[in-house]
Amino acid sequence: MSTLIVPQQVPSVADDCEQLRKAFAGWGTNEDLIISILGHRNATQRKQIRQTYAEMHGEDLLKALDKELTNDFESLVTVWVLDPAERDAFLANVATKKFTSTNQVLMEIACTRSSHELLLARQAYHARYKKSLEEDVAQHVTGDFCKLLFPLVCSYRYEGDEVNMSLAKSEAKIIRDKIEKKSYNDEELIRILATRSRAQINATLNQYKNEFGNDINKDLKTEPQDEFLALLRATVKCLTSPARYFAKVLRLAIERRGTDEGALTRVVATRAEVDMKMIKEEYQRRSSVHLERAIGKDTHGDYEKMLLALVGDESA
Amino acid sequence: MSTLIVPQQVPSVADDCEQLRKAFAGWGTNEDLIISILGHRNATQRKQIRQTYAEMHGEDLLKALDKELTNDFESLVTVWVLDPAERDAFLANVATKKFTSTNQVLMEIACTRSSHELLLARQAYHARYKKSLEEDVAQHVTGDFCKLLFPLVCSYRYEGDEVNMSLAKSEAKIIRDKIEKKSYNDEELIRILATRSRAQINATLNQYKNEFGNDINKDLKTEPQDEFLALLRATVKCLTSPARYFAKVLRLAIERRGTDEGALTRVVATRAEVDMKMIKEEYQRRSSVHLERAIGKDTHGDYEKMLLALVGDESA
């Protein structure tokens, strides 16, 4: 479901490093050359390029990119070059440092990665920041947001398909009860979303819909302006249909007045190799326009070219 | 710091399996032979024995032991034979199913294992119980106990030695403030204990003592009968001096009227290969009697022999 286009004949890692070095050399920078290489290599290949570049040229590729590139293009190339776990650690760290009640990045990382990927992100967080992700979340996030986000970032969910139907029924009732009382920050409600396996949560929410008539997220929309409720709805969405969640993030990032480049960069860089094909389908279904076209309309220059390369635009 | 005595010349795994098979054969069981093998093999060797036994005899060694052994001896041999992560998962599962306010096993596992060991236990929990440790804790443990135990079992602490002294100072003040207000279940207090690295917690608690005069655990002893406070004190102890904590568990298990075999078995089986030497020193320092002697006085038969083998009694 990746949209990344890797050429059938990939040059050797040493060749890629040599070409990148050339792209940086002299006056100006050859951005097209950078995109033609880094925009068309998978995570393993990029990791090898970064290692080999450091060995050949005695400099971290990220440092070199930082010197040569600017603005949104630089941000995109930089997070893209990072190893996925390191990238998640970086994005999570930024989110804890500048946490606001509308920032859903921590939840997004906690709920759309596999248990193992989330663990790798926590390990990368140790290595990079010399502390744990959860201590930063616990320290910087407060109130109901912390009550929900702390167990989410600490979770190591069971990933099997087994479903306990009687548990699904009883927990659907618990959820219904809390929603009726508008106890959206209730411990039981949070416990269920933060600890149950995705398969179990799906069964519980199907049961909820069968028994009580609505999608849970419809019932959670009573106060559309409430930011905690918005986070709760997004949590449900990330756990049950991540592609729909990401398509919506892209829509909001693109359709608002003035693009939200941060969100656009994050979603494209983190999902290109995961489920961008599905996200594109969802995007088109809801916006009646191809994502590539929307990106082309809203961005420009090297940033646009790199985005288009990553979402699999054949011409990029 | 292990007390396990592994012979210099260890028989082949196949020989060990053959001998075990002989020990089970015919009328009666040769317990001494079982102890002479399983009481003197390290975790890796026991794992190989279990694998090879299953291959050679088409039966899980644990099943065979279950058929042949009884009572406390059986419990000890069984948890000892389990892989450490699987053993932790097993002990934690029993603790969640029968959780009582005096049960400190979940805290003990969460606070005395390394971050990686705790993670392995969580993985073993998935494999064995088809669900996550944290969902069982969140579901079965309630109130303040859950408030403390949930983040403890979910923790993946940073394990570096780096210490932030200004943080240690500010958090020592926070802790002091909460203790003065008797807000023992306060979120900040729990956050600090549940998320900071051991090095950081040590610095904070040293700072606490320097600034406010007492060991934190002295100040937490205002209501000796309060079970949540007891768990909080034990948490501090497990994080800062696990050997002293375990020596005390052994003292309480042995010195009370009627031995607490559950605790004795658990501590000996989980610590023999870790820090039992230090635990024995602590035990003797506080009880003025050798642990071996105390075990010999309080237990008997094969259970006694196996315990003595694991705590490194030369004659066992």
Side-chain angles (χ1 to χ4, degrees), chain B residues 106-113 152 157 198 235 238-239:
Chain B
L106 289 165
M107 177 284 298
E108 181 182 298
I109 292 173
C111 296
T112 64
R113 275 48 161 176
L152 287 179
R157 293 178 201 267
R198 285 180 181 78
T235 303
C238 279
L239 290 169

Side-chain angles (χ1 to χ4, degrees), chain A residues 214-233:
Chain A
N214 277 341
D215 260 342
I216 178 177
N217 268 0
K218 193 163 177 197
D219 291 341
L220 286 175
K221 223 168 183 166
T222 45
E223 280 139 88
Q225 301 309 315
D226 182 316
E227 285 157 355
F228 178 75
L229 259 185
L231 183 64
L232 207 57
R233 286 195 303 274

Side-chain angles (χ1 to χ4, degrees), chain B residues 16 29 40 71 136 138 167 230 295:
Chain B
D16 276 349
T29 304
H40 298 278
N71 302 330
D136 275 357
L167 189 68
I295 288 175

